[in-house]
Amino acid sequence: MLSDAQRATEQVARQSYGKLIAFLAARSHDVPAAEDALSEAIAAALRSWPERGIPDNPEAWLLVAARRNLIRGLRHETVKAAGRVRIEMAMEEAQERMNADHPPFPDERLKLLFACTHPAIDTTIHAALMLQTVLAIDAATIAKAFIVAPETMSQRLVRAKIKIRDARIPFTVPEQPMLPDRLAGVLTAIYAAYGLGWEGLGDSEKQGSLAEEAIWLGRALHATLPREPEAMGLLSLMLYSQSRRGARRNASGDYIPLDQQDTVLWDAAMITEADDLLRQAGAFARFGPFQCLAAIQSVHAERRRCGTTDWRALARLYEALLIMKPTTGARVSHAAVVARMDGPGAGLELLNRMAERDIVNYQPYWAVRAHLLAEAGDMEYATSAYRSAIGLSSSEAVRRFLLRRLATRLDRR
């Protein structure tokens, strides 16, 4: 059983990891060194806190310890004396801020986000790099989410971090001329973090808190860039989804699909905030994919007010989304909506057009395909699709739901 000190250490490490790494790496320009220094500090806390007691400010304790580890490590590196002095002087800021007369050290995670999504880094690793450096998600979990071998993901992450160091990638929010292209990568990375937390919601405290961390990053990005409609769209999208958190599981922890959720359990205040953000974004007349995704969620949210879902409005929005961003997820969702309007055959026709390489390991495809095949009365192929969906599910609650649905379908034969 974990002691209070061990639990306190794990909690502050989980909650403050990205903030501490961002502060340390922004001054050293060395993400791996910052990670190593913080890991050593956490290990030291696990050794000393049980004996000496938990410090009044655990986060500050870890920062000071990690700072010392980082400077000590840098002294052993072959760097110019002037560079070492500059680094050490910059790092002194951390200790100075620990004094009562100084405010807490700044949260610079957005700067780290933009560093992780710099054009010098391979775009395919942007989201994964942000997940690990800013939100402390381990490489194995990231690899599973991106359907990549853990060893391959680890190697890619290491190479990207070395690139940040060796290319001296700046830890700054870009100026306006460079912002649009850079912002797209940050938005995608934050949404990837939210998606990972959302899919695991209810199965793991860590993944549940990850969704909340992603929303925090979305709020921070909107506060930093208040006139960027896509930043508003992303935050609106996450709030619409998060508003349904309390309705996604029943008292036994079983998964409840969107169309069967009790809308009374949806968070009305969160929906109102999402509505306001989407309206504000629309005033800029620069409609983008995250605003479109938020608009799709707003149609679903309308069911709380009127009790019905406008499937044709959803179909039109998905058609617009497919023009802007034709992802596998958007195509599968569009097929599901078309099936609600025009029958399972119409939805299956759209699914059949998708390339095998895009859907072979994509769980939502097999779940939708199984449902539509069962609706069409083809239980032989539906059973096979259900088994694929069950095998690809990362959520135990979703697996139980699909198993029950398959059993119910088979009983009706």
Side-chain angles (χ1 to χ4, degrees):
M1 182 178 293
L2 295 177
S3 67
D4 290 343
Q6 288 174 317
R7 280 194 291 270
T9 305
E10 291 187 358
Q11 182 177 11
V12 72
R14 183 170 60 249
Q15 293 177 345
S16 303
Y17 184 89
K19 186 177 178 183
L20 292 167
I21 290 295
F23 186 87
L24 295 164
R27 284 149 182 80
S28 66
H29 280 86
D30 193 333
V31 175
E35 291 176 331
D36 290 343
L38 182 55
S39 294
E40 291 177 23
I42 293 170
L46 285 169
R47 291 192 301 269
S48 66
W49 289 6
E51 296 179 3
R52 301 180 183 179
I54 301 169
D56 293 336
N57 190 337
E59 185 178 69
W61 191 101
L62 287 175
L63 178 57
V64 171
R67 165 191 164 275
R68 290 171 181 161
N69 294 336
L70 184 55
I71 292 176
R72 184 168 58 248
L74 290 168
R75 283 176 178 151
H76 292 294
E77 298 294 330
T78 306
V79 295
K80 293 181 179 179
R84 185 185 301 122
V85 171
R86 180 189 60 77
I87 291 170
E88 292 188 11
M89 289 179 63
M91 297 307 298
E92 288 297 334
E93 177 187 348
Q95 189 163 9
E96 291 175 2
R97 288 180 178 274
M98 296 305 103
N99 298 330
D101 295 337
H102 290 79
F105 69 95
D107 192 330
E108 298 182 320
R109 280 178 284 183
L110 283 183
K111 293 181 181 179
L112 179 55
L113 267 179
F114 277 100
C116 289
T117 55
H118 192 276
I121 298 172
D122 184 353
T123 56
T124 62
I125 199 67
H126 284 179
L129 184 60
M130 187 276 288
L131 285 168
Q132 186 170 82
T133 58
V134 181
L135 296 172
I137 305 302
D138 61 88
T141 300
I142 296 171
K144 186 175 182 180
F146 287 87
I147 317 174
V148 174
E151 298 79 10
T152 302
M153 179 58 71
S154 295
Q155 292 169 1
R156 291 177 182 174
L157 289 167
V158 169
R159 285 197 296 268
K161 293 171 188 176
I162 292 173
K163 183 73 172 182
I164 292 174
R165 180 191 66 197
D166 293 349
R168 303 291 294 173
I169 289 174
F171 283 66
T172 58
V173 176
E175 297 296 329
Q176 186 59 44
M178 299 176 60
L179 188 58
D181 291 339
R182 297 289 304 281
L183 181 61
V186 171
L187 293 169
T188 299
I190 293 175
Y191 189 47
Y194 183 80
L196 188 57
W198 177 250
E199 290 301 322
L201 202 60
D203 294 342
S204 153
E205 178 186 350
K206 184 175 183 179
Q207 287 188 301
S209 65
L210 179 58
E212 295 171 0
E213 282 290 300
I215 290 174
W216 183 93
L217 289 170
R219 290 190 186 281
L221 186 65
H222 173 46
T224 304
L225 305 170
R227 297 185 62 79
E228 286 297 330
E230 278 292 83
M232 296 178 196
L234 172 63
L235 181 54
S236 175
L237 166 62
M238 292 189 293
L239 290 173
Y240 276 128
S241 298
Q242 195 72 356
S243 72
R244 301 195 297 269
R245 175 178 177 175
R248 295 188 72 222
R249 302 284 189 269
N250 63 18
S252 301
D254 295 326
Y255 170 75
I256 307 212
L258 175 58
D259 61 350
Q260 296 176 26
Q261 290 174 14
D262 182 356
T263 61
V264 172
L265 299 176
W266 293 357
D267 189 320
M270 206 172 284
I271 291 173
T272 297
E273 183 182 2
D275 287 341
D276 291 342
L277 283 164
L278 190 55
R279 279 194 294 269
Q280 292 173 39
F284 289 89
R286 284 188 281 143
F287 195 59
F290 283 105
Q291 294 170 75
C292 191
L293 284 165
I296 287 169
Q297 293 303 321
S298 76
V299 174
H300 286 299
E302 191 64 23
R303 184 161 69 87
R304 189 180 189 278
R305 302 184 182 94
C306 65
T308 59
T309 300
D310 188 339
W311 296 104
R312 298 212 172 274
L314 284 176
R316 288 193 295 270
L317 285 168
Y318 273 116
E319 288 163 7
L321 180 62
L322 287 170
I323 292 172
M324 294 183 285
K325 204 166 186 177
T327 64
T328 301
R331 295 180 68 185
V332 171
S333 296
H334 177 237
V337 169
V338 168
R340 291 296 294 255
M341 296 188 305
D342 302 327
L348 286 167
E349 183 180 351
L350 292 175
L351 292 180
N352 290 339
R353 297 177 188 173
M354 299 180 67
E356 183 178 357
R357 66 177 181 275
D358 295 331
I359 55 88
V360 63
N361 291 316
Y362 189 61
Q363 192 273 347
Y365 170 89
W366 294 104
V368 171
R369 185 174 186 83
H371 173 70
L372 297 185
L373 284 168
E375 289 289 301
D378 189 345
M379 279 309 301
E380 180 181 354
Y381 286 101
T383 299
S384 176
Y386 268 120
R387 287 172 177 163
S388 294
I390 292 164
L392 291 168
S393 295
S394 59
S395 166
E396 180 58 35
V398 171
R399 279 195 293 271
R400 291 197 306 269
F401 169 79
L402 291 172
L403 283 166
R404 286 196 304 272
R405 177 162 280 190
L406 173 57
T408 300
R409 297 283 192 182
L410 291 173
D411 287 343
R412 292 175 180 171
R413 293 177 68 178

